[in-house]
Amino acid sequence: GDPVYVFVLKPEDDDGRALLSIDRGRLGKSWHWLEEIYKGGAIVEAVVDGYNKGGLLVNLRGVRGFVPASQVVGIVPPGQPDHQDSLAQIVGRTVPLKVIELDRRRNRLILSQRQALQGYRERRKEELLDSLEVGQICHGTVSSINKFGIFVDLGGADGLVHLSELSWKRVNHPSEVVQVGQEVDVYV
């Protein structure tokens, strides 16, 4: 009595019955869902279930997808000695992905973690900038150090802390005061 999606393999066989496939029906429904995701520019999450020399492999409701290494964030670049190890470390993790290419006829689904995170970061940046007020104290992480100051990631946007604002004493280089990755409180 359960309703199911089916794919018609043959409208009528020798006995006059329709030949159907439940597996292909599910797969068709999955492709339709992916087409909607692609058109809407939405972000999906998927568990990485494998990798090859070119990138990561995922399964989205039965459809195999590929994430090229150039679209994966935080891995050793291709051609470097530890490239394969950095891909292997992602297997089993859930990652946000954006569909960047979809061709059902060729059974081709290409995804990007980089674009998914970029879109998330842009939305988060807008939300953060709308909520910030002068005089507010925020918690963040030092994302980079330059000779003129440091950049602090506030969870969607980076803010600059000028060298003169790092200490009451004279500082020649920001690395004397903070390290990349260090958590800090900042005053807006």
Side-chain angles (χ1 to χ4, degrees), residues 20-92:
L20 310 172
S21 169
I22 290 177
D23 285 339
R24 288 178 86 180
R26 277 191 211 123
L27 196 58
K29 185 178 175 188
S30 296
W31 277 107
H32 179 71
W33 171 73
L34 286 165
E35 288 167 355
E36 294 298 316
I37 297 288
Y38 181 55
K39 288 176 189 171
I43 294 170
V44 295
E45 289 193 345
V47 176
V48 176
D49 59 4
Y51 70 99
N52 59 29
K53 67 180 181 175
L56 302 174
L57 305 171
V58 297
N59 186 325
L60 289 166
R61 296 186 182 179
V63 178
R64 298 287 292 166
F66 179 68
V67 185
S70 64
Q71 297 298 317
V72 179
V73 175
I75 61 164
V76 175
Q80 300 294 323
D82 294 333
H83 174 68
Q84 291 293 313
D85 292 338
S86 65
L87 288 173
Q89 290 176 359
I90 300 174
V91 173

Side-chain angles (χ1 to χ4, degrees), residues 130-178:
D130 288 342
S131 70
L132 286 178
E133 295 177 15
V134 174
Q136 184 177 356
I137 296 177
C138 299
H139 189 74
T141 306
V142 177
S143 58
S144 66
I145 297 176
N146 292 301
K147 63 183 179 182
F148 56 84
I150 65 171
F151 286 95
V152 177
D153 182 358
L154 299 175
D158 284 357
L160 170 66
V161 180
H162 191 269
L163 180 65
S164 63
E165 298 291 329
L166 289 175
S167 175
W168 292 103
K169 298 184 256 174
R170 179 167 168 72
V171 176
N172 292 321
H173 193 272
S175 61
E176 297 172 11
V177 182
V178 294

